[in-house]
Amino acid sequence: MSVNIHGKEYKTVAERLTEFHKDHPKGSIQTEMVSYTLGRVIMKATIRYDEAVPTCSFIGHASEKEDSTMINKTSALENAETSAVGRALAFAGYA
C-alpha cells in the first residue's frame, strides 16, 4: 500500500519492512534513542542485511517534538522511531 504525500507516492514503513525481511531473513533493525531533551526526541535506526556482517549497514535519524502534532502529543518517541527506520530503509534501497 502506498500513501500520497505532497503529490508523491510512498510505500509505508510497514510495507518496506515486510520487503526487507523477505529479502534479508538474517537482517536486523536496531533503534536507539539518541536524546530526549526539552520535549524533543531524536532516534537512530541501523539496518543490516545480515546481522553477522556489521560493516554493511544503513543508518537513519529522525526527530520529533512533543505537542507539535496531535500524534506527537502522545507518541513523539514512537513517531520518531518509525521515521528513523523508514529513513534507514530508504537508504538501504527500500523507498
Side-chain angles (χ1 to χ4, degrees), residues 31-88:
T31 60
E32 171 187 347
M33 186 185 323
V34 175
S35 69
Y36 205 148
T37 310
L38 301 173
R40 177 167 294 279
V41 61
I42 299 173
M43 294 294 295
K44 173 184 175 181
T46 303
I47 296 197
R48 291 185 176 86
Y49 288 152
D50 185 335
E51 59 188 17
V53 186
T55 56
C56 182
S57 62
F58 302 89
I59 297 172
H61 288 86
S63 71
E64 293 291 342
K65 179 140 180 65
E66 290 177 337
D67 297 331
S68 63
T69 66
M70 288 300 290
I71 288 178
N72 283 351
K73 286 184 182 211
T74 60
S75 306
L77 177 104
E78 295 90 336
N79 197 16
E81 183 176 42
T82 300
S83 294
V85 169
R87 290 180 59 77

